[in-house]
Amino acid sequence: MTNAVEIRTVTKVFGTFTALHGVSLSIQDNEFFTLLGPSGCGKTTLLRMMAGFEEVTQGEILLFGQNIAALEPNQRPVNTVFQQYALFPHMSVIDNVAFGLKMKGWPLEKRRIRAGEMLEMVHLSDFANRAPAQLSGGQQQRVALARALAPQPKVLLLDEPLSALDLKLRQAMRMELKQLQSETGITFIFVTHDQEEALTMSNRIAVMSAGHVQQIGTPRDIYESPNNRFVADFIGETNLIEVEVEAVADGQAQVVLPGGHRITTSSAARDKGRHHLSIRPERVTLGSPGVGLQAVVEQVIYLGTDLQVLVRLEGGTAMQVRLQNAARITVPSPGDAVGLHLEEGAARLLSD
Amino acid sequence: MALRSVRHYPGFFSVALICLIILYAPLVVVMIYSFNASPSLTNWGGVSLRWYFDVFTGPEAPRFKAAAWNSLTIAILASTIATGIATAAALAMLRSGKFKGRSLTFALINLPLMVPEIVIAVATLIFFTMVGITTGYLTILIAHITFCIPFAYLPIAARLQGIDGSYEAAARDLYATRLQSFFLVLLPLLAPGVVSGFLLAFIISLDDFIITNFVKGAGMETLPTAIFGSVKQGIKPNIMAISTLMLAVSILFVTLSYLINRKGRKGP
């Protein structure tokens, strides 16, 4: 089966600045794919190149097998939901939604019907004749979605569409977007800097930084098996500890922690020497001293659903541990000696 | 510290009053005396419309009518063409990315605002003479188009600067061609700026004296040069009537511009 989008060693140069360094990735049909990274990582540039707003400096972008380099934005069967929605202020809501259909030459009757259906889908039928400015941010967001989905694009591009909404609305829209994607069966390519958004909605995520794709995988892959320090650090919270690798084979490694303790861990690194170990704070439990890694509690921070415990390992390395604030746990106090137990999959050796 | 209304500052009323008198007293005097029944400029002889009739039917009427017609057609043509050019210039300056010589282009567009008008007048006349174009209606029109461009450009560029590029991008993304994106999306959003630019250029053209006087050639008059020619032979009350009429036209245009702008803001 052909991929919805195939990006082949794409490089983008603005003057003296290289925004993308030979990026390659494949996005499958009917996939919710997220480009995740901090601002300036090149994710929006990549999206704009797919839409046709930026030229590709080098490499090629295929849409269902077809090279789209020579196509103008209006010739590409993709639609975009813009960050600030970009609803046309001089047109009513329904005219906004019908705009793409009008440009495609649909007759008035047909586009009215279709635009009406789209508004129904986003629960805004009662607002058809309002001006966009009379709608709330969340409603404008949904109009922008309806407008972009109305012409039934092969791929929908979403450029940080939730960033202008407040937290509650953002969380509700995540579910709605996910549902829209599975209902329509259209490939969604979603750009965000918000890892929580990426983890909750995506089938797969490409983590980007400084113009490179750092890792591509399912949310679980990305979170539980990060390849490198950037990914481990950017997604969720983690403890990065520099360790000595004694042996490495078949994705497993034997490492020595600063205190001299040896553990076996899954590994993205392929060679011996000094590497970083990522330990997820919520995958560590506290037990009685004498068993596991020896540590002393330094600070306990109450976070409501969780407790954040800062400990210092033998050998002086600081680490944080997250305990769920359940009724059964005994809350440690600063100064307590504890034994840390790393659960299955808590630690991963990173490649750099 | 609490914000004080400007009205409470010491001396506000006296300063405001002086400014208002200096600005508007002459206009008010001219307007009132245009209704004077007496041929005297200073003595009040009762209310009458005789000088208005004089403008349209008196001995100078054919001259003023021809001049007014010239002024009006030149103003309409010059401001329309200048607005078109200014819109294109604004698009080139603000919508085509950075290009070499952008600052220079900006300076060239706006330079006529800073060059002394008399210099432009002399230079334009010399230019027409050297190229061999006979001065007359056409030379006035060309000169007016030229100096109207920066006046039309400023409000259009200001408006365009405030319109986010994502509207055009959205239109293009939704299958609109470049032209459709311009006419269906950008132009309606830009319209208030275009109208302001047009009206400003229109008033500037209608009102111009110095450049027009240099390039008009013999026998060709616009309203300002006709008024000046008439005043040279002594000020008569009919001049006050013409001035009041021109003022009324200007106020009408400004009001129109205001109403159009307000309507544009209310949405569709």
Side-chain angles (χ1 to χ4, degrees), chain A residues 53 72-74 76 78-80 82 86-91 100 103-104 147 151, chain B residues 166-178 180 184-185 188-189 267-268:
Chain A
F53 303 134
E72 294 275 308
N74 55 317
R76 299 183 183 200
V78 300
N79 289 136
T80 308
F82 292 84
L87 297 176
F88 306 131
H90 58 296
M91 294 181 198
M103 294 302 103
K104 284 184 111 178
R147 182 177 73 173
Chain B
S166 64
Y167 294 118
E168 294 138 273
R172 298 277 283 137
D173 189 64
L174 291 162
Y175 313 106
T177 62
R178 275 171 206 277
Q180 284 172 324
L184 297 177
V185 172
L189 299 178

Side-chain angles (χ1 to χ4, degrees), chain B residues 142-171:
Chain B
I142 294 170
H144 278 221
I145 292 169
T146 326
F147 70 71
C148 278
I149 290 172
F151 288 98
Y153 176 81
L154 291 177
I156 295 171
R159 175 84 190 178
L160 186 57
Q161 208 144 31
I163 300 173
D164 195 277
S166 64
Y167 294 118
E168 294 138 273

Side-chain angles (χ1 to χ4, degrees), chain B residues 161-207:
Chain B
Q161 208 144 31
I163 300 173
D164 195 277
S166 64
Y167 294 118
E168 294 138 273
R172 298 277 283 137
D173 189 64
L174 291 162
Y175 313 106
T177 62
R178 275 171 206 277
L179 275 181
Q180 284 172 324
S181 152
F182 175 73
F183 282 107
L184 297 177
V185 172
L186 187 56
L187 197 57
L189 299 178
L190 192 58
V194 173
V195 171
S196 297
F198 172 82
L199 291 175
L200 192 57
F202 184 87
I203 296 289
I204 295 289
S205 164
L206 199 65
D207 173 61

Side-chain angles (χ1 to χ4, degrees), chain B residues 36-53:
Chain B
N36 193 355
S38 144
S40 160
L41 285 176
T42 47
N43 296 327
W44 184 252
V47 179
S48 144
L49 287 176
R50 67 178 278 204
W51 300 113
Y52 286 89
F53 285 113

Side-chain angles (χ1 to χ4, degrees), chain B residues 207-229:
Chain B
D207 173 61
D208 181 75
F209 174 74
I210 301 177
I211 294 175
T212 312
N213 202 35
F214 271 72
V215 300
K216 72 186 174 62
M220 175 62 63
E221 300 284 3
T222 64
L223 211 43
T225 65
I227 291 173
F228 184 72

Side-chain angles (χ1 to χ4, degrees), chain B residues 98-116:
Chain B
K98 288 197 171 89
F99 56 88
K100 228 179 167 180
R102 192 162 168 264
S103 327
L104 181 71
T105 312
F106 182 78
L108 285 176
I109 293 172
N110 291 295
L111 205 59
L113 295 176
M114 283 158 274
V115 177

